[in-house]
């Protein structure tokens, strides 16, 4: 299997949808619309049938679960080319950005002032997810697996750290506006690395929209580099919810 596909599988294991079905090597995922990753078909390897037929199955699955049909595919892959040839188009309307850079880098150490919680606190939910009353889908996606919940200076910053094979999967890194530019993001990343190293992780991975220049700049200074990109694809026909 291609290294990019291996990393994508690890990342998918650290970000589990509420409902998942296998279609050959592909994974159909739904989580009540919470995040693109958890509500798209992860198109890796072979779906066990011609790609156009597999895309019809993606649409059927999406219709049943009340979400738009979307496919996540590694940029430049043979699978992505087949999806394009079947008439699907890049999902340029995806609010978080339809082209995503997957970065890998070293685990940090230290992280003074950051504590890791075994369960997300109300403050963590408020900062990392924007709510103190998460939906069942949010709770499932963000708490499934071996996960730690980092908090900096009690409530100034938060991060989600999950073990994905030998990788540390980082997500939901957030710092309150009044506490930015004080090194808290670096401290959160360092503490997440220390937390993960004690659980067998050897390297970090995170996914950042290519338009998020501040985040990309931060991770570059921490030693992260782009491994590959993925894109979201949707049917070209107008009504994408059926």
């Amino acid at each position: 299997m291609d290294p990019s596909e291996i990393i994508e599988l690890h990342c998918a294991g650290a970000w589990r949808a509420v409902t998942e079905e296998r279609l050959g090597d592909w994974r159909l995922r739904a989580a009540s619309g919470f995040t693109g990753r958890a509500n798209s078909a992860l198109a890796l390897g072979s779906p066990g049938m011609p790609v156009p037929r597999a895309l019809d199955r993606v649409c059927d699955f999406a219709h049943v679960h009340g979400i738009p049909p979307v496919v996540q595919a590694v940029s430049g892959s043979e699978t992505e080319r087949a999806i394009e040839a079947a008439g699907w188009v890049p999902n340029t309307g995806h609010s978080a950005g339809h082209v995503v850079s997957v970065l890998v880098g070293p685990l940090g150490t230290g992280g003074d002032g950051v504590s890791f919680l075994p369960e997300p606190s109300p403050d963590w939910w408020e900062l990392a997810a924007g709510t103190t009353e998460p939906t069942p889908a949010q709770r499932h996606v963000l708490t499934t697996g071996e996960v730690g919940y980092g908090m900096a200076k009690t409530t100034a910053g938060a991060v989600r750290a999950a073990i994905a094979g030998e990788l540390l999967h980082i997500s939901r890194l957030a710092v309150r506006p009044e506490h930015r530019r004080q090194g808290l993001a670096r401290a959160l990343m360092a503490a997440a690395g220390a937390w993960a190293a004690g659980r067998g992780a050897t390297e970090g991975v995170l996914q950042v929209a290519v338009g998020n220049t501040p985040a990309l700049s931060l991770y570059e200074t921490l030693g992260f580099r782009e491994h590959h990109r993925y894109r979201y694809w949707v049917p070209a026909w107008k009504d994408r919810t059926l």
Side-chain angles (χ1 to χ4, degrees):
M1 183 176 288
D2 182 90
S4 299
E5 295 185 338
I6 293 173
I7 289 178
E8 287 299 328
L9 285 175
H10 282 315
C11 290
W15 195 264
R16 298 296 298 274
V18 175
T19 301
E20 295 189 4
E21 293 183 10
R22 298 294 293 269
L23 185 64
D25 297 327
W26 289 21
R27 297 186 181 191
L28 312 183
R29 303 174 293 183
S32 300
F34 177 64
T35 78
R37 279 174 283 166
N39 291 274
S40 59
L42 181 61
L44 302 175
S46 170
M49 61 186 68
V51 167
R53 183 180 168 198
L55 294 173
D56 287 340
R57 293 282 297 274
V58 170
C59 292
D60 292 341
F61 176 86
H63 177 66
V64 168
H65 294 282
I67 59 174
V70 179
V71 170
Q72 176 189 340
V74 174
S75 296
S77 65
E78 181 179 345
T79 297
E80 187 183 59
R81 289 191 291 271
I83 292 168
E84 183 175 23
W88 285 43
V89 296
N91 187 18
T92 55
H94 184 55
S95 60
H98 75 290
V99 182
V100 178
S101 177
V102 180
L103 311 175
V104 294
L107 299 180
T109 58
D112 293 342
V114 176
S115 58
F116 262 82
L117 311 174
E119 301 289 340
S121 66
D123 288 329
W124 188 93
W125 279 114
E126 187 274 327
L127 184 52
T131 181
T132 56
E133 298 181 359
T135 66
Q138 288 174 316
R139 188 172 293 278
H140 179 91
V141 172
L142 295 178
T143 65
T144 299
E146 188 173 358
V147 184
Y149 307 90
M151 291 293 296
K153 292 185 178 180
T154 308
T155 62
V159 69
R160 179 184 187 267
I163 301 301
E166 295 183 350
L167 295 174
L168 160 66
H169 182 267
I170 291 286
S171 63
R172 296 284 152 169
L173 178 64
V175 176
R176 295 189 189 279
E178 64 270 24
H179 293 285
R180 291 173 184 169
R181 301 185 184 279
Q182 298 177 18
L184 292 184
R186 293 175 179 274
L188 286 161
M189 288 291 292
W195 176 87
R199 290 161 175 78
T202 59
E203 196 170 33
V205 61
L206 44 86
Q207 296 142 302
V208 184
V210 296
N212 191 347
T213 302
L216 291 171
S217 297
L218 168 67
Y219 298 131
E220 182 179 2
T221 65
L222 295 175
F224 281 77
R225 66 191 186 281
E226 182 174 277
H227 186 275
H228 65 276
R229 294 182 176 187
Y230 66 77
R231 287 195 286 184
Y232 291 115
W233 292 78
V234 293
W237 29 272
K238 184 176 181 180
D239 189 348
R240 296 170 181 164
T241 63
L242 301 179

